[in-house]
Amino acid sequence: MPISIGVSPEPYSVSRVIFLDFDGVLHPPRAIAGARPPLEPHEIRAGWPATFQHLGVLKDLLQEHSDIAVVVSSSWRIFLNDAQLGELLAPIARWYGGSIGNPQTGRDVAIRAWLELNAITDYVVLDDKPKFFPGPAGAWPTLILCESETGISDISVQQKLRDWMNQHADCNSPAPPVERQSFGHEQRRGEPL
Protein backbone atom coordinates (compact mmCIF):
# COMPACT_ATOMS: atom_id res chain seq x y z
CA MET A 1 0.00 0.00 0.00
CA PRO A 2 1.63 3.27 -1.02
CA ILE A 3 1.86 6.05 1.52
CA SER A 4 1.45 9.72 0.83
CA ILE A 5 4.24 12.17 1.71
CA GLY A 6 5.46 15.60 0.82
CA VAL A 7 5.32 19.12 2.14
CA SER A 8 3.77 20.59 -0.97
CA PRO A 9 -0.01 20.97 -1.33
CA GLU A 10 -0.02 17.89 -3.55
CA PRO A 11 1.25 14.82 -1.71
CA TYR A 12 2.64 12.01 -3.79
CA SER A 13 2.54 8.26 -3.40
CA VAL A 14 5.46 6.16 -2.36
CA SER A 15 5.77 2.44 -2.06
CA ARG A 16 9.41 2.20 -0.93
CA VAL A 17 11.10 3.50 2.18
CA ILE A 18 14.60 4.32 3.38
CA PHE A 19 14.85 4.18 7.17
CA LEU A 20 17.51 6.69 8.08
CA ASP A 21 19.83 6.95 11.07
CA PHE A 22 21.68 10.27 11.51
CA ASP A 23 24.84 9.77 13.60
CA GLY A 24 27.29 7.63 11.65
CA VAL A 25 25.26 7.93 8.44
CA LEU A 26 24.75 11.64 7.69
CA HIS A 27 27.74 12.76 9.78
CA PRO A 28 30.40 11.17 11.99
CA PRO A 29 29.37 10.91 15.65
CA ARG A 30 32.04 13.46 16.62
CA ALA A 31 30.12 16.10 14.60
CA ILE A 32 27.51 16.26 17.37
CA ALA A 33 29.90 15.74 20.31
CA GLY A 34 28.96 17.73 23.37
CA ALA A 35 25.34 18.34 22.37
CA ARG A 36 22.82 17.73 25.13
CA PRO A 37 19.10 17.54 24.35
CA PRO A 38 16.77 19.26 24.27
CA LEU A 39 17.96 21.45 21.42
CA GLU A 40 16.03 23.17 18.67
CA PRO A 41 17.02 22.59 15.02
CA HIS A 42 18.48 26.11 14.69
CA GLU A 43 20.60 25.51 17.80
CA ILE A 44 21.92 22.25 16.35
CA ARG A 45 22.84 23.87 13.03
CA ALA A 46 24.51 26.84 14.75
CA GLY A 47 26.36 24.93 17.47
CA TRP A 48 27.31 21.82 15.50
CA PRO A 49 27.70 22.90 11.86
CA ALA A 50 29.33 19.61 10.82
CA THR A 51 26.07 17.74 11.41
CA PHE A 52 24.26 16.55 8.29
CA GLN A 53 27.39 17.07 6.18
CA HIS A 54 26.49 14.08 3.98
CA LEU A 55 22.82 14.98 3.48
CA GLY A 56 23.61 16.29 -0.02
CA VAL A 57 24.84 12.82 -1.00
CA LEU A 58 21.47 11.33 -0.06
CA LYS A 59 19.65 14.11 -1.89
CA ASP A 60 21.65 13.42 -5.06
CA LEU A 61 20.88 9.70 -4.85
CA LEU A 62 17.15 10.38 -4.40
CA GLN A 63 16.80 12.74 -7.38
CA GLU A 64 15.40 10.18 -9.82
CA HIS A 65 13.22 8.36 -7.29
CA SER A 66 9.93 10.05 -6.46
CA ASP A 67 8.50 6.74 -5.24
CA ILE A 68 10.77 6.63 -2.16
CA ALA A 69 10.13 8.12 1.28
CA VAL A 70 12.83 8.76 3.86
CA VAL A 71 11.64 7.88 7.35
CA VAL A 72 13.79 8.74 10.35
CA SER A 73 14.78 5.79 12.51
CA SER A 74 17.54 7.69 14.35
CA SER A 75 17.52 8.05 18.12
CA TRP A 76 17.06 11.76 17.42
CA ARG A 77 13.34 10.87 17.22
CA ILE A 78 13.44 10.59 21.01
CA PHE A 79 14.21 14.28 21.46
CA LEU A 80 12.74 15.93 18.36
CA ASN A 81 9.26 15.70 16.92
CA ASP A 82 8.57 14.99 13.25
CA ALA A 83 8.34 18.68 12.33
CA GLN A 84 11.72 19.41 13.95
CA LEU A 85 13.30 16.41 12.24
CA GLY A 86 11.86 17.64 8.96
CA GLU A 87 13.40 21.06 9.53
CA LEU A 88 16.83 19.44 9.88
CA LEU A 89 16.19 17.44 6.70
CA ALA A 90 14.93 20.42 4.68
CA PRO A 91 17.13 19.64 1.64
CA ILE A 92 15.25 16.34 1.24
CA ALA A 93 11.83 17.65 2.32
CA ARG A 94 10.34 16.28 -0.91
CA TRP A 95 11.11 12.74 0.31
CA TYR A 96 10.68 13.19 4.06
CA GLY A 97 8.03 10.86 5.47
CA GLY A 98 8.29 11.47 9.21
CA SER A 99 9.77 9.13 11.78
CA ILE A 100 9.15 5.60 12.99
CA GLY A 101 7.66 7.13 16.12
CA ASN A 102 7.38 5.27 19.41
CA PRO A 103 10.59 6.52 21.04
CA GLN A 104 10.24 4.09 23.93
CA THR A 105 10.61 1.09 21.61
CA GLY A 106 13.80 -0.33 20.15
CA ARG A 107 14.70 0.71 16.63
CA ASP A 108 14.15 -2.75 15.15
CA VAL A 109 10.72 -3.20 16.76
CA ALA A 110 9.63 0.33 15.84
CA ILE A 111 10.66 -0.16 12.19
CA ARG A 112 8.80 -3.46 11.95
CA ALA A 113 5.69 -1.89 13.53
CA TRP A 114 5.88 1.06 11.10
CA LEU A 115 6.21 -1.31 8.14
CA GLU A 116 3.20 -3.33 9.28
CA LEU A 117 1.09 -0.25 10.00
CA ASN A 118 1.85 1.25 6.58
CA ALA A 119 1.83 -2.05 4.65
CA ILE A 120 5.25 -1.37 3.11
CA THR A 121 7.40 -4.33 2.08
CA ASP A 122 10.07 -2.66 -0.06
CA TYR A 123 12.52 -0.88 2.20
CA VAL A 124 16.14 -0.41 3.15
CA VAL A 125 17.71 0.58 6.47
CA LEU A 126 20.75 2.90 6.58
CA ASP A 127 22.50 2.62 9.93
CA ASP A 128 25.94 2.29 11.48
CA LYS A 129 25.00 0.16 14.50
CA PRO A 130 24.31 -3.55 13.91
CA LYS A 131 23.44 -3.92 17.63
CA PHE A 132 20.11 -2.20 16.94
CA PHE A 133 19.13 -5.05 14.60
CA PRO A 134 19.40 -8.28 16.60
CA GLY A 135 18.50 -11.70 15.36
CA PRO A 136 19.93 -14.43 13.23
CA ALA A 137 21.97 -13.73 10.12
CA GLY A 138 19.62 -12.55 7.41
CA ALA A 139 17.00 -11.18 9.82
CA TRP A 140 17.58 -7.73 8.26
CA PRO A 141 18.47 -8.46 4.61
CA THR A 142 17.98 -4.83 3.58
CA LEU A 143 20.23 -3.34 6.27
CA ILE A 144 23.05 -1.27 4.78
CA LEU A 145 25.67 -0.74 7.45
CA CYS A 146 27.89 2.32 7.27
CA GLU A 147 31.24 2.97 8.87
CA SER A 148 30.55 5.58 11.54
CA GLU A 149 33.25 7.96 10.36
CA THR A 150 32.32 7.96 6.66
CA GLY A 151 28.60 7.14 6.65
CA ILE A 152 26.83 7.58 3.35
CA SER A 153 29.82 9.43 1.89
CA ASP A 154 31.43 6.00 1.42
CA ILE A 155 31.20 5.01 -2.26
CA SER A 156 30.39 1.37 -1.42
CA VAL A 157 27.43 2.45 0.74
CA GLN A 158 26.22 4.71 -2.05
CA GLN A 159 26.49 1.85 -4.52
CA LYS A 160 24.48 -0.51 -2.29
CA LEU A 161 21.77 2.11 -1.92
CA ARG A 162 21.84 2.91 -5.65
CA ASP A 163 21.56 -0.82 -6.44
CA TRP A 164 18.48 -1.12 -4.22
CA MET A 165 16.93 2.01 -5.71
CA ASN A 166 17.49 0.91 -9.29
CA GLN A 167 16.66 -2.77 -8.78
CA HIS A 168 13.24 -1.91 -7.48
CA ALA A 169 12.50 1.18 -9.53
CA ASP A 170 10.66 -0.70 -12.24
CA CYS A 171 8.58 -2.77 -9.83
CA ASN A 172 6.29 0.03 -8.73
CA SER A 173 2.98 0.77 -10.33
CA PRO A 174 1.40 4.17 -9.85
CA ALA A 175 -1.20 4.29 -7.14
CA PRO A 176 -3.42 7.02 -5.80
CA PRO A 177 -2.12 8.80 -2.71
CA VAL A 178 -3.25 7.47 0.63
CA GLU A 179 -2.72 8.87 4.08
CA ARG A 180 0.43 7.80 5.91
CA GLN A 181 -0.36 6.30 9.27
CA SER A 182 1.56 8.00 12.02
CA PHE A 183 2.17 7.44 15.66
CA GLY A 184 1.23 11.08 16.34
CA HIS A 185 4.38 12.22 18.12
CA GLU A 186 4.26 15.95 17.53
CA GLN A 187 5.23 17.00 21.04
CA ARG A 188 8.84 17.03 22.24
CA ARG A 189 9.84 13.57 23.30
CA GLY A 190 11.20 12.66 26.70
CA GLU A 191 14.25 10.74 27.79
CA PRO A 192 14.37 7.04 26.83
CA LEU A 193 13.46 4.47 29.46
Side-chain angles (χ1 to χ4, degrees):
M1 174 168 100
I3 62 171
S4 187
I5 68 165
V7 295
S8 65
E10 293 298 320
Y12 59 95
S13 293
V14 297
S15 55
R16 304 187 297 153
V17 173
I18 296 171
F19 291 101
L20 181 66
D21 182 27
F22 289 174
D23 303 330
V25 176
L26 294 180
H27 52 256
R30 71 180 179 283
I32 195 71
R36 298 286 176 257
L39 292 168
E40 295 294 322
H42 71 275
E43 295 172 307
I44 294 166
R45 285 191 303 273
W48 294 269
T51 56
F52 302 96
Q53 63 188 261
H54 305 312
L55 187 55
V57 172
L58 181 57
K59 182 180 179 183
D60 290 345
L61 289 166
L62 286 166
Q63 287 302 317
E64 301 297 321
H65 300 280
S66 62
D67 63 325
I68 295 175
V70 175
V71 175
V72 175
S73 56
S74 172
S75 60
W76 288 44
R77 68 191 162 93
I78 296 168
F79 306 106
L80 299 170
N81 64 40
D82 284 352
Q84 291 169 315
L85 293 168
E87 188 177 332
L88 290 168
L89 297 175
I92 62 166
R94 175 179 158 198
W95 297 275
Y96 177 62
S99 75
I100 56 175
N102 202 351
Q104 305 305 324
T105 304
R107 194 171 295 184
D108 60 326
V109 173
I111 288 173
R112 291 206 192 277
W114 192 99
L115 288 166
E116 184 176 330
L117 183 66
N118 290 283
I120 297 289
T121 58
D122 195 356
Y123 68 95
V124 69
V125 179
L126 283 174
D127 209 298
D128 68 323
K129 301 285 187 206
K131 71 179 182 180
F132 291 135
F133 302 94
W140 288 91
T142 59
L143 174 62
I144 299 176
L145 285 173
C146 304
E147 290 294 326
S148 295
E149 290 303 310
T150 56
I152 197 169
S153 72
D154 183 301
I155 298 300
S156 67
V157 170
Q158 292 176 40
Q159 189 58 53
K160 288 175 186 175
L161 185 55
R162 192 177 291 110
D163 289 348
W164 173 79
M165 292 171 149
N166 293 333
Q167 176 185 4
H168 298 252
D170 299 327
C171 300
N172 299 297
S173 56
V178 296
E179 288 294 319
R180 173 177 66 91
Q181 299 297 311
S182 114
F183 289 97
H185 295 288
E186 287 306 313
Q187 298 177 2
R188 182 174 309 283
R189 300 192 172 110
E191 295 287 333
L193 294 177

